[in-house]
Amino acid sequence: RVGRERVVEQGVSTAGGRVLTQFYYDQLAASESGRYVAVRSFLSGGIRDALVLADASVGSAYCDPAQVNSTGAPARAFASAASGLGGFDVRITAGGLPPGATALLLASPNQGFVPQPGGSQGDLCLGGPIFRLNAQMGPADGSGATSQGIDADGILGAGLVPIPAGETWNFQYWYRDSAPGPTSNFSSAVSVPF
């Protein structure tokens, strides 16, 4: 398990049509974003020391694709299970942002749709109440990506707001853009069950 999601399961998961029969539990690795997990394992048919890559993405995208930004493409958000990666349950990552753009992660238990709020180039896809996740607001890296961990025990917004097990929350990045002049834009949104 990674977070609350089962990524690979011994005796059930398959790779190349073969069942994963045994894992080396001490030899797991995750990509920096947490989207992919690699595990060294045995496969049925006597295959030993196989390296299996599993997609650990969780949730489902909506408002996808988002409006095009100054890079000429839309920014996309996705969620990945992230337990063991900084103590978070889920990591929300956005790609396709303008490099260096300041990005702020927004969260809500509700979906919504507000086209171009406040003169933005993009569309807000969250409904009220909307929380700003203050833990990390910073520039996208040189590849146009940013990522933030979500702890279901409490997100920072107006105080510490817990996400009860069984609830689904929605996340979207709001970021600075310049298309053609200074403005803001939004990534696609992602809905994540906790």
Side-chain angles (χ1 to χ4, degrees), residues 50-78:
L51 181 62
V52 177
L53 184 66
D55 186 343
S57 58
V58 296
S60 54
Y62 67 99
C63 284
D64 190 24
Q67 297 294 328
V68 171
N69 61 37
S70 59
T71 69
R76 289 199 160 87
F78 69 90

Side-chain angles (χ1 to χ4, degrees), residues 164-186:
E167 279 196 9
T168 297
W169 275 60
N170 305 283
F171 301 90
Q172 185 176 29
Y173 278 96
W174 181 26
Y175 61 95
R176 292 192 185 270
D177 198 8
S178 57
T183 187
S184 68
N185 207 330
F186 292 90

Side-chain angles (χ1 to χ4, degrees), residues 2 15 20 31 36 47 51-52 63 78 93 99 103-104 133 149 176 193:
V2 178
L20 281 73
S31 63
Y36 298 101
I47 297 175
L51 181 62
V52 177
C63 284
F78 69 90
T93 301
L104 177 66
L133 279 73
R176 292 192 185 270

